[in-house]
Amino acid sequence: MTIKEYITNIRTALRVPLECSPRLIWKLMYNFAWRNFINIRQFEKRQAQGKPFFPAFIMISVTEKCNLSCSGCWVTARGTKSLSLQQLDGIITESKKKGSYFFGILGGEPLLYKGLFDIIEKHADCYFQLFTNGMLITEDVAMRMKKLGNITPLISIEGLEQESEERRGKDDVFHKTIEGLKACKKAKLFFGAAASICKGNYNDLVNREYIERLAKEGVHYLWYYIYRPVGANPNPANALDEDEILDLRKFIVEQRKSAPLMVIDTYWDDEGNALCPAATGMSHHISPGGAVEFCPPLQMARDFINEDGSNLTDVFENSQFMADLRAMTAETSRGCILLENPQQLVSFVEKHQAIDSSTRQTVLQEFKDMSPVAGHDQKGKEVPEVNPLYKAMKKKYFFGFGAYG
């Protein structure tokens, strides 16, 4: 990296203390950064010593309800399942007993879940990343999040105007999402944007102009995913090929040298080796129906939380299904088994008599109908990190936002 790039990195880092409310910064540094550091060390120690399993952090889909119907989404369109407030409270309470204070809150659209902010307020010692399409973030909602102080909204943008409407099944999606960004900026929140990169939005979103546009809207971090064609209406033709995935990786690494915001990924370690967080046991998922799942799009389960979530620790420590699934996926690939080998996954869930945990009850057939598509495990083509700070953070710490090392 050049001196100019180092200076740019410093300026990017200073955006957070200069632009965000001081109380939010304190919550970010203590609830997320410090507590998550301790949590990761405890998780690694449990794994190394062969102690009973509990993931480092949990993704929680609180409801299937959504105001959009996106192509390639695993959430059941017009689904009605939701966790009870008692279950959500129990999941968080049980996790805190194991040292985990960071949670990803997903949907559907989590802002349609009544009582969410009340639970977040109750657990003021935790930190929550809210995965949202941003269309429901009004100035009042943003100010409520500011008052709570322990939420970072992560706003999904799946393309510019045309692609957003085509992909998400509704008019004026992009404009309303941008209004959500503006409300977050006005409230001085620490917030991010996310994108599931596919052929349809690659040219729109994988470029420096788009990054700079988000930075001007106040976005502090950008999280790139790889599109997975799953759900009732998958579009495998929209999946990236190997060259596009490799180019995306190179773009992410290059932009981390000088981008005006933090560029995040979930798929590679500091040396560019592929990773699956669920296969390592770092992260698992709770569905709106209470199923304890490997990851959000893998909607097959053998274990469920009870009416108040108090059995969560027991489920994780004693689930043979989850232990076998972690082992099988880790042995198969460092990448995503859903993309690379869906038929092996089908054989596994049939052998273990896993239950469809979705409302639509067609997940197993959806998996059977899938054909392999390119994944991010491309041995011999690894692209190591070049930003020394990000490389060190990935190797030693950077965890909650999805960069695992």
Side-chain angles (χ1 to χ4, degrees), residues 59-63 74 104-110 129-131 285 296:
M59 311 294 282
I60 309 169
S61 288
V62 292
T63 184
W74 57 84
I105 303 296
L106 303 84
E109 172 49 58
Q129 188 174 43
L130 186 72
F131 293 70
H285 177 248

Side-chain angles (χ1 to χ4, degrees), residues 382-400:
E382 293 81 4
V383 181
E385 297 293 339
V386 295
N387 181 317
L389 177 60
Y390 197 83
K391 186 180 180 75
M393 292 292 280
K394 264 197 170 184
K395 187 173 183 178
K396 299 294 185 181
Y397 171 74
F398 204 178
F399 175 77

Side-chain angles (χ1 to χ4, degrees), residues 66-335:
C66 192
N67 53 335
L68 296 175
S69 182
C70 302
S71 170
C73 180
W74 57 84
V75 178
T76 304
R78 295 176 295 280
T80 58
K81 288 185 178 181
S82 292
L83 292 171
S84 70
L85 291 173
Q86 291 76 18
Q87 287 176 314
L88 178 57
D89 181 49
I91 293 167
I92 298 169
T93 299
E94 287 298 301
S95 298
K96 286 160 62 173
K97 292 177 183 178
K98 304 298 290 188
S100 180
Y101 289 82
F102 173 76
F103 303 89
I105 303 296
L106 303 84
E109 172 49 58
L111 290 176
L112 290 172
Y113 181 80
K114 294 182 179 179
L116 176 62
F117 288 161
D118 295 331
I119 293 292
I120 289 175
E121 183 176 24
K122 178 179 179 180
H123 295 280
D125 53 347
C126 295
Y127 201 78
F128 300 88
Q129 188 174 43
L130 186 72
F131 293 70
T132 172
N133 58 50
M135 296 176 68
L136 302 180
I137 301 181
T138 62
E139 290 187 6
D140 288 343
V141 170
M143 289 304 294
R144 178 73 193 278
M145 288 192 278
K146 179 182 180 180
K147 183 178 180 181
L148 292 170
N150 58 341
I151 303 177
T152 175
L154 179 61
I155 299 173
S156 174
I157 301 175
E158 297 304 327
L160 302 184
E161 288 85 349
Q162 181 178 347
E163 177 67 19
S164 289
E165 292 183 8
E166 292 178 356
R167 176 91 171 269
R168 315 204 79 167
K170 188 173 287 188
D171 295 338
D172 207 25
V173 172
F174 182 74
H175 172 73
K176 291 177 180 177
T177 299
I178 294 298
E179 290 301 307
L181 297 181
K182 293 181 184 299
C184 291
K185 181 179 181 180
K186 185 174 182 179
K188 297 185 177 181
L189 297 178
F190 174 66
F191 66 102
S196 177
I197 302 301
C198 59
K199 289 184 182 295
N201 64 18
Y202 193 100
N203 291 333
D204 282 347
L205 305 185
V206 185
N207 59 75
R208 183 55 176 249
E209 182 181 0
Y210 176 67
I211 289 176
E212 292 178 351
R213 178 175 184 176
L214 289 181
K216 289 179 180 178
E217 295 289 357
V219 173
H220 297 107
Y221 61 98
L222 171 59
W223 190 354
Y224 282 116
Y225 311 126
I226 295 172
Y227 174 76
R228 287 169 289 187
V230 295
N233 298 298
N235 183 5
N238 211 14
L240 300 178
D241 60 36
E242 288 189 2
D243 288 341
E244 288 167 329
I245 292 174
L246 183 59
D247 287 344
L248 174 63
R249 169 61 179 168
K250 291 176 179 177
F251 174 80
I252 290 171
V253 170
E254 182 65 23
Q255 291 305 310
R256 272 200 267 267
K257 293 161 61 177
S258 62
L261 46 64
M262 292 175 280
V263 182
I264 309 301
D265 71 79
T266 63
Y267 299 107
W268 297 276
D269 67 11
D270 60 300
E271 294 299 332
N273 300 302
L275 281 176
C276 169
T280 65
M282 290 181 176
S283 173
H284 287 310
H285 177 248
I286 310 296
S287 80
V292 179
E293 298 175 343
F294 188 70
C295 64
L298 208 164
Q299 297 172 294
M300 301 292 293
R302 287 281 300 174
D303 309 286
F304 294 80
I305 60 171
N306 57 16
E307 62 184 9
D308 61 2
S310 60
N311 68 331
L312 183 66
T313 298
D314 182 65
V315 166
F316 274 128
E317 290 184 350
N318 296 291
S319 174
Q320 191 62 49
F321 173 73
M322 293 291 278
D324 290 348
L325 186 50
R326 286 192 297 273
M328 185 272 288
T329 53
E331 291 167 0
T332 301
S333 171
R334 289 182 65 100

Side-chain angles (χ1 to χ4, degrees), residues 22-69:
R23 182 167 171 272
L24 268 66
I25 296 170
W26 164 249
K27 290 278 190 177
L28 174 67
M29 296 305 297
Y30 185 73
N31 287 18
F32 172 69
W34 174 246
R35 280 199 156 130
N36 213 25
F37 176 79
I38 300 300
N39 172 38
I40 295 164
R41 299 286 84 80
Q42 291 176 338
F43 168 76
E44 291 175 342
K45 187 176 181 180
R46 287 196 301 270
Q47 294 292 89
Q49 296 179 351
K51 291 185 176 181
F53 175 81
F54 197 91
F57 79 93
I58 297 173
M59 311 294 282
I60 309 169
S61 288
V62 292
T63 184
E64 287 183 312
K65 296 177 183 178
C66 192
N67 53 335
L68 296 175
S69 182

